[in-house]
Each structure stands twice: as C-alpha cells, then as structure tokens.
Amino acid sequence: MKRFALIGAAGYIAPRHMRAIKDTGNKLVSAYDINDSVGVIDSIAPESEFFTEFERFYEHAWRLKRTSDHKLDYVAVCSPNYLHQAHIAAGLRLGCDVICEKPLVPTVECLDDLTSIERETGRKVYNILQLRHHQAIINLKNKVASEIVEHKHDVELTYITSRGKWYMESWKGDPRKSYGVATNIGVHFYDMLHFIFGKLQRSVVHFNNECKAAGYLEYEKARVRWFLSIDANDLPEVIKGKKTTYRSITVDGKEMEFSDGFTDLHTVSYNEILEGRGYGLEDARHCVETVEYIRSSVVSRVENDEGHPFLETLNR
C-alpha cells in the first residue's frame, strides 16, 4: 500500500484523485489547500491530515520522510495551473514521485526545469493524460496506425463547456494563472490529437479571447479545425436549455462517440502509474509545446477551408 499526499484538496478535480488513491488500494495520508471546504475527505479518507498552510503541510511531510515506515511515496498535485511547477518540485524534493493534473506546466522551459529536478532527486513526475486510456480513442489510434495507405484525415473538434460568472472571478479567469481557455480546457484534447495522429506540423489561431478560442492544427495524419469555449451562447440551438456542455469530434465527417467511458479514467491512470506505465514529462512535451505556441500566436485570417464552422457565428 502506497502513501499519498494531495495538494489542492478543495479543487474540482481533487475528489477524482482521492477516489483513485482509495480504489487502487492505497492511502491518503495528508492533504493541503488554502480553502477548507474539503468535507469530501470524510467519505474517502477520514483519517487524513489536513492543512491550510503550505509550510505546515511541508513540515509534516518532511517529518514523515525521516521515518522509513511512514514516509510518503507519492504527492498528487491538483492545485491551480500556475502553481503546478512549484508544487511538483516540492514533491520531488520530499523524495516522492509526483502525479499532476493537466496542464502540467505552461512552457517547455518549465518542463526542462522539472526534468533537471527529476535527475537531482531520482524521483519521477507523471501527468494525468486520461484520454489516452479511453477505449474509443485507443481504437481510433489503432485504426489510424494500421492504415496501409497513409493519408490526412479531416477532423473537427468542438468543445463548449458552459461556465457561469464565477469563472472569470476565479483564478481560472485570470490568464496569468490559468494560461487561458485554450490551455485550461484544451490541453488534453491537443494531447489526444497528437496521440492519435502524430506530430504537429502547423498551427494557426483564428480567434482568441478570454472565453473562447479557435484555430487550425495540422498533424502528420490529420487536418484539424478546432473550437473551444466556456460561453453558453455558443451551444448549438438544439441543446440550449437542455445541456450545458457540448463535445463533438468528427473524423472524415463521422462522429466519434466517446461521451461515455470517462467515469473511471483517473483510476485507470493511477493503476497504470503504479504499474510503471504512467506518462511522464516527455510524454507531456508535445501538448505543452502546442499550448505555448497557441498562447504566443497572433490571430490570423482564415485561409482555404481551415476555419471551424462556428467562426461564422462569431463573425456575424
């Protein structure tokens, strides 16, 4: 049984990590968050220590490190995006392997810094890239890889996940902390596209503001028009008032059905990590490069057929 600490225990994604720790037969020993709305711990790991000050959390973990029977094995990081690098580094220096939510870090330079700390400490960082474990995505990857005649597939990615006014008041609405919509809600889709279709060859941004972004990505085996939004006004008329989220991926005009099968992907990810098959820093490099480029790109005019259809609505 491995012993875990969790940083960012009050966040939206933290309960999935807590359940993954429990469901894989391991123990949450300690948790930290500046907010104390963490009652979910009672139903998952009621004996866990909890701290609202990082210094006290770190001191507790350091004391555990001095005793071989009680030291931590893993630190799970679910804190706001801009704190990931610092919290990962702290976990490594505590002598732990680290499991971190996406986006792992904002830039390749940050990724290289963590690689250096891995070498210094002898510990390892794992990124949660859960879509790589989704069976529908694995099936598509295998189908593309098995094609005798290679060609570029036409892909359309649309993801609208409505957020209320709270979003812009939180750290997620601050691009200095979340790194913007394309990074915050899009990074795992960019990883998925790379996982299926190979290396990115070209990237163009057609629209980018605080609540939506759109562009074109060309991979070795796909041409992708993408649109991401947190604005409920962008939902298709047929689902407005019925659903708050719209997720669609079409490949060569055919909808890829992957709405189901998300429930346990964090637990699957944890199992893979614990069995030595987790995704490390180099696995995350491609999607980190992609979002870094998107954030630094100047918005360009749409050329040929590279624009996502939803752009027409924005430009009216």
Side-chain angles (χ1 to χ4, degrees):
M1 183 173 65
K2 301 298 183 182
R3 294 165 59 82
F4 280 77
L6 176 66
I7 297 176
Y12 163 78
I13 206 68
R16 297 191 195 181
H17 286 258
M18 294 181 197
R19 293 189 186 101
I21 292 167
K22 181 179 180 180
D23 291 347
T24 53
N26 299 294
K27 183 177 182 180
L28 180 61
V29 173
S30 178
Y32 156 72
D33 202 293
I34 59 171
N35 298 305
D36 58 11
S37 298
V38 291
V40 66
I41 294 177
D42 289 345
S43 62
I44 301 173
E47 296 181 358
S48 172
E49 300 288 346
F50 176 70
F51 303 92
T52 57
E53 295 167 324
F54 186 78
E55 294 81 359
R56 293 180 61 230
F57 164 81
Y58 193 88
E59 174 60 23
H60 176 259
W62 186 260
R63 280 190 281 110
L64 294 178
K65 184 176 184 289
R66 291 195 292 242
T67 59
S68 58
D69 292 340
H70 296 90
K71 71 180 182 66
L72 296 169
D73 298 296
Y74 288 88
V75 172
V77 176
C78 306
S79 51
N81 300 350
Y82 72 107
L83 295 174
H84 284 180
Q85 184 180 8
H87 288 156
I88 292 168
L92 293 172
R93 288 169 177 144
L94 283 167
C96 301
D97 289 336
V98 178
I99 301 171
C100 185
E101 263 300 330
K102 59 201 171 301
L104 187 67
V105 287
T107 67
V108 171
E109 182 180 3
C110 294
L111 200 69
D112 292 338
D113 285 344
L114 290 179
T115 300
S116 297
I117 301 173
E118 275 191 333
R119 288 196 297 265
E120 292 167 6
T121 60
R123 309 314 301 175
K124 189 166 176 60
V125 181
Y126 297 97
N127 197 193
I128 295 290
L129 300 172
Q130 76 269 33
L131 291 185
R132 294 191 182 201
H133 299 301
H134 194 291
Q135 194 56 54
I137 290 167
I138 293 171
N139 292 344
L140 179 58
K141 175 181 171 62
N142 292 338
K143 179 178 180 294
V144 170
S146 67
E147 291 170 344
I148 297 174
V149 180
E150 291 191 3
H151 69 284
K152 294 203 176 187
H153 297 271
D154 287 312
V155 179
E156 196 170 281
L157 165 64
T158 311
Y159 182 50
I160 302 165
T161 178
S162 308
R163 295 292 184 262
K165 295 179 180 179
W166 68 269
Y167 187 95
M168 298 309 295
E169 295 298 320
S170 75
W171 64 266
K172 295 182 180 183
D174 185 342
R176 297 169 302 174
K177 296 180 178 181
S178 69
Y179 310 122
V181 167
T183 299
N184 194 45
I185 70 170
V187 67
H188 58 304
F189 288 115
Y190 302 132
D191 176 72
M192 177 199 72
L193 292 168
H194 160 59
F195 182 65
I196 298 171
F197 298 112
K199 291 182 180 179
L200 180 64
Q201 298 175 326
R202 181 165 170 255
S203 175
V204 183
V205 176
H206 295 139
F207 190 93
N208 197 7
N209 68 14
E210 69 276 4
C211 61
K212 63 194 78 175
Y216 173 81
L217 297 165
E218 188 160 335
Y219 293 86
E220 291 175 292
K221 299 180 181 180
R223 294 181 292 264
V224 183
R225 297 185 295 272
W226 59 271
F227 180 87
L228 305 170
S229 174
I230 59 167
D231 185 353
N233 293 316
D234 293 324
L235 290 168
E237 291 296 330
V238 293
I239 70 167
K240 279 184 179 178
K242 301 175 184 177
K243 295 182 180 180
T244 59
T245 297
Y246 176 74
R247 182 192 294 111
S248 172
I249 298 178
T250 62
V251 181
D252 300 324
K254 183 178 180 181
E255 187 78 28
M256 185 175 80
E257 178 53 51
F258 74 125
S259 55
D260 296 326
F262 281 89
T263 308
D264 300 319
L265 290 183
H266 275 72
T267 298
V268 174
S269 298
Y270 268 67
N271 267 320
E272 291 296 298
I273 290 167
L274 291 161
E275 292 296 328
R277 298 187 295 265
Y279 293 114
L281 294 178
E282 286 308 305
D283 296 297
R285 182 174 292 274
H286 195 281
C287 61
V288 170
E289 290 175 338
T290 303
V291 294
E292 182 177 12
Y293 185 84
I294 288 172
R295 286 197 311 275
S296 62
S297 294
V298 176
V299 172
S300 301
R301 181 170 53 88
V302 177
E303 296 182 357
N304 303 319
D305 61 345
E306 296 176 356
H308 191 284
F310 281 37
L311 281 172
E312 296 178 8
T313 303
L314 301 182
N315 294 329
R316 284 175 187 170

